Amino acid sequence: MAYHFTTTVEGPMERAVEATTEALKRHGFGVLTDIDVRATLKKKLDVDFRPYRILGACNPQMAYRALKAEDKIGTMLPCNVILQERDGGRVEVSAVDPEASMRAIENPALAETAGQVREMLRQVVAELGAAETA
């Protein structure tokens, strides 16, 4: 089982971040964190890296349900969505599959919530890919 859902969209990176943020919002997610990996690696290690962003996405209702079901689940929150620039100005967008990441936790209530979040994130990625072909 893959641990992510992935599609590729037209760049530039900022436009892809905006489109991804809007798609997340349509499915009840907010972006809590936005990590510019490229800038961080340049600052901390003085190395050059491709444009790469990590968005920490959270659906408050789903997070609340997960926290009620499993008090340590915060170690796996928020759900990460990454964007990385590829050749030709394309941007690859990948979202974590929460079912895959939470498989080791044996809690039926959590599994149900993870399944719902999985479907929501899968739809976000699918919409981004469909918008490319429209």
Side-chain angles (χ1 to χ4, degrees):
M1 174 184 249
Y3 62 93
H4 60 87
F5 307 106
T6 299
T7 193
T8 306
V9 300
E10 287 297 322
M13 176 66 83
E14 287 307 316
R15 185 172 67 206
V17 169
E18 289 173 19
T20 301
T21 300
E22 287 302 314
L24 286 164
K25 191 181 299 183
R26 285 192 297 276
H27 290 275
F29 291 88
V31 174
L32 302 177
T33 59
D34 181 350
I35 302 167
D36 185 335
V37 173
R38 180 184 199 180
T40 300
L41 291 175
K42 186 65 175 174
K43 180 179 178 182
K44 301 290 185 180
L45 302 176
D46 195 28
V47 297
D48 293 319
F49 196 72
R50 68 186 171 280
Y52 192 112
R53 302 270 286 274
I54 304 172
L55 305 180
C58 181
N59 179 300
Q61 286 184 318
M62 295 291 113
Y64 179 60
R65 285 178 49 191
L67 289 163
K68 287 193 313 183
E70 188 74 35
D71 70 341
K72 308 292 186 297
I73 200 63
T75 61
M76 297 182 168
L77 299 178
C79 296
N80 284 332
V81 178
I82 65 166
L83 295 94
Q84 55 184 320
E85 194 170 283
R86 296 299 190 186
D87 292 336
R90 307 272 298 160
V91 177
E92 184 180 82
V93 181
S94 301
V96 68
D97 179 347
E99 277 190 345
S101 65
M102 296 181 193
R103 189 175 299 134
I105 304 168
E106 295 179 17
N107 181 325
L110 182 62
E112 180 182 334
T113 301
Q116 290 174 330
V117 174
R118 176 186 199 272
E119 183 57 23
M120 295 162 80
L121 289 171
R122 190 199 60 74
Q123 288 176 11
V124 166
V125 172
E127 285 176 15
L128 290 166
E132 277 303 296
T133 59

